[in-house]
């Protein structure tokens, strides 16, 4: 970090001393274009000047075209001459004011490693083209024994992204990838290790999905009276197994947990007759439980409370995937 020093007994005003020192730092590229200047607080501690004096110096630097202020972000060294390029002419940069800094830092790093401008351009374009090609085909992978989790992911991704998504069993993934030149492969973090191992030598990128935190549902479980019976219905046997473990860790033996897949009519009947609350992780399970409750309604003293879990994939993962695929 550059140390600015102010001579209090100098005939030159303190603000002029600081102004000239910062100008020198910019001219010598100790402060290169897009560099963020120290905050007024930090500079006041270093120089002993009042923050108002430093703010005045920064305003003068901005008026003279050496720096620019980005609201809520700070003061940055302004690119000048050819360095500014078409930045001020691009409407995209008005929407994303810090994008220029990101690009320039990346470009400067490539040049410092010995790349020419043409080589840097090829690297950028190759990465962008590859991502665009990958975005044209989206695959979801899940093990055959838990293909229901894959079906959940496909359903929610198609609903959110509004594009076709292909489900592939993990055991068949290598063969499918051998037949494609590029794709984006997504799966939950439960299966990400296997997916990355298979995809590593292939021309695909792998993006893990976080699952929903189920905070609302877990709070409901925490407040259930002891000896309550909870039902869990899901397309995914893996989700059913994981849920049993989680609920046992949450409430121990205080609750009875029953599980079923929507295709298991016998278990569904037992579920609706015994459970006070039934959580359904997907629409297929919710519909199956509703039908089972309707069938058994004459034998029930009271109908169980049905809770349709909002989603399986976390909302932040959906947003990230939209950006990665260029859909937002």
């Amino acid at each position: 970090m550059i140390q600015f020093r102010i001579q209090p007994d100098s005939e030159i005003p303190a603000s002029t001393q600081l102004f000239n020192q910062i100008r020198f730092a910019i001219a010598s590229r100790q402060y290169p274009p897009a560099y963020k200047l120290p905050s007024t607080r930090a500079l006041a501690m270093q120089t002993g000047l009042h923050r108002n004096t430093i703010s005045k110096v920064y305003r003068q630097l901005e008026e003279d075209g050496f720096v620019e202020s980005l609201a809520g972000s700070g003061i940055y060294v302004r690119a000048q001459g050819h360095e500014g390029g078409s930045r001020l002419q691009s409407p995209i940069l008005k929407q994303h004011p810090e994008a220029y800094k990101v690009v320039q830092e990346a470009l400067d790093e490539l040049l410092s490693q010995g790349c020419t401008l043409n080589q840097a351009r090829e690297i950028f374009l190759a990465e962008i083209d590859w991502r665009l090609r990958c975005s044209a085909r989206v695959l979801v992978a899940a093990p055959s024994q838990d293909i229901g989790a894959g079906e959940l992911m496909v359903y929610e991704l198609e609903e959110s992204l509004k594009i076709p998504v292909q489900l592939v069993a993990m055991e068949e993934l290598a063969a499918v990838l051998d037949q494609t030149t590029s794709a984006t492969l997504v799966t939950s973090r439960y299966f990400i290790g296997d997916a990355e191992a298979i995809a590593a030598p292939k021309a695909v990128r792998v993006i893990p999905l976080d699952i929903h935190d189920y905070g609302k549902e877990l709070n409901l479980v925490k407040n259930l009276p002891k000896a309550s019976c909870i039902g869990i219905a899901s397309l995914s046997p893996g989700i059913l197994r994981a849920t049993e473990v989680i609920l046992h860790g949450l409430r121990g033996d205080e609750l009875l947990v029953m599980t079923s897949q929507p295709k298991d009519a016998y278990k569904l009947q037992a579920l609706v007759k015994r459970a006070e609350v039934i959580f359904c992780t997907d629409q297929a399970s919710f519909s199956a439980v509703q039908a089972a409750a309707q069938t058994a309604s004459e034998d029930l003293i009271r109908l169980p409370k049905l809770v349709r879990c909002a989603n399986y994939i976390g909302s932040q993962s959906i947003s990230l995937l939209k950006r990665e695929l260029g859909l937002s």
Side-chain angles (χ1 to χ4, degrees):
M1 179 178 180
I2 298 174
Q3 295 294 317
F4 297 110
R5 291 181 173 82
I6 304 301
Q7 299 295 334
D9 55 351
S10 172
E11 295 180 357
I12 302 173
S15 60
T16 302
Q17 293 183 51
L18 180 61
F19 179 85
N20 287 332
Q21 289 182 58
I22 295 177
R23 280 188 61 183
F24 173 76
I26 293 171
S28 63
R29 289 188 72 90
Q30 295 180 72
Y31 280 0
Y35 183 87
K36 183 178 181 180
L37 270 61
S39 67
T40 56
R41 180 186 297 275
L43 211 49
M45 293 176 63
Q46 183 185 143
T47 63
L49 296 178
H50 195 279
R51 291 176 67 183
N52 287 343
T53 301
I54 297 169
S55 294
K56 178 183 176 182
V57 170
Y58 278 1
R59 284 195 298 273
Q60 185 62 49
L61 287 165
E62 186 167 18
E63 289 174 6
D64 290 353
F66 293 106
V67 302
E68 56 187 341
S69 174
L70 296 180
S73 179
I75 308 290
Y76 294 87
V77 176
R78 184 176 177 272
Q80 297 162 352
H82 72 280
E83 294 174 332
S86 61
R87 178 170 64 98
L88 298 179
Q89 303 170 20
S90 172
I92 297 175
L93 289 168
K94 293 181 180 179
Q95 299 173 14
H96 307 283
E98 294 195 40
Y100 175 75
K101 182 181 69 172
V102 173
V103 171
Q104 189 171 47
E105 287 177 351
L107 183 57
D108 284 345
E109 178 62 26
L110 288 173
L111 295 176
S112 71
Q113 293 180 16
C115 287
T116 65
L117 280 173
N118 281 332
Q119 289 171 333
R121 179 177 181 273
E122 287 185 25
I123 291 171
F124 276 115
L125 290 178
E127 176 67 14
I128 292 169
D129 288 345
W130 180 68
R131 289 197 179 200
L132 288 173
R133 290 198 308 272
C134 288
S135 300
R137 187 180 186 189
V138 180
L139 307 176
V140 166
S144 295
Q145 64 196 39
D146 199 6
I147 204 68
E151 292 173 358
L152 274 179
M153 288 184 278
V154 168
Y155 173 79
E156 292 187 9
L157 290 176
E158 289 189 333
E159 284 286 302
S160 301
L161 305 179
K162 307 302 180 185
I163 61 172
V165 178
Q166 180 183 352
L167 176 60
V168 180
M170 197 72 73
E171 295 81 355
E172 301 170 5
L173 182 58
V176 171
L177 295 182
D178 283 339
Q179 303 301 315
T180 185
T181 55
S182 54
T184 295
L185 174 65
V186 298
T187 190
S188 82
R189 293 192 185 275
Y190 281 107
F191 315 129
I192 192 64
D194 290 340
E196 287 183 325
I198 295 170
K202 312 296 182 181
V204 298
R205 58 176 177 165
V206 184
I207 300 177
L209 298 175
D210 296 324
I211 65 171
H212 180 59
D213 65 8
Y214 296 102
K216 179 180 177 181
E217 292 82 0
L218 291 175
N219 281 332
L220 197 159
V221 171
K222 289 177 183 178
N223 295 320
L224 286 174
K226 290 183 180 180
S228 295
C229 178
I230 299 178
I232 310 293
S234 177
L235 282 168
S236 165
I239 291 176
L240 296 179
R241 290 192 297 270
T243 302
E244 284 190 271
V245 173
I246 292 168
L247 295 184
H248 187 269
L250 191 66
R251 294 291 302 268
D253 295 326
E254 294 179 350
L255 304 175
L256 173 63
V257 180
M258 300 177 66
T259 64
S260 177
Q261 290 185 266
K263 62 185 179 182
D264 195 329
Y266 179 80
K267 283 190 174 182
L268 283 180
Q269 285 297 314
L271 212 64
V272 298
K273 290 179 180 179
R274 182 69 179 84
E276 285 92 357
V277 181
I278 301 176
F279 294 95
C280 304
T281 67
D282 51 86
Q283 186 57 47
S285 297
F286 185 72
S287 299
V289 171
Q290 278 186 317
Q294 181 80 25
T295 301
S297 58
E298 295 183 1
D299 301 326
L300 301 177
I301 298 175
R302 52 160 183 73
L303 289 171
K305 178 181 179 180
L306 302 187
V307 178
R308 168 71 167 92
C309 298
N311 52 300
Y312 175 65
I313 304 171
S315 58
Q316 288 187 344
S317 276
I318 293 289
S319 298
L320 172 63
L321 193 56
K322 282 184 177 179
R323 291 197 299 272
E324 288 289 330
L325 296 175
L327 301 175
S328 64

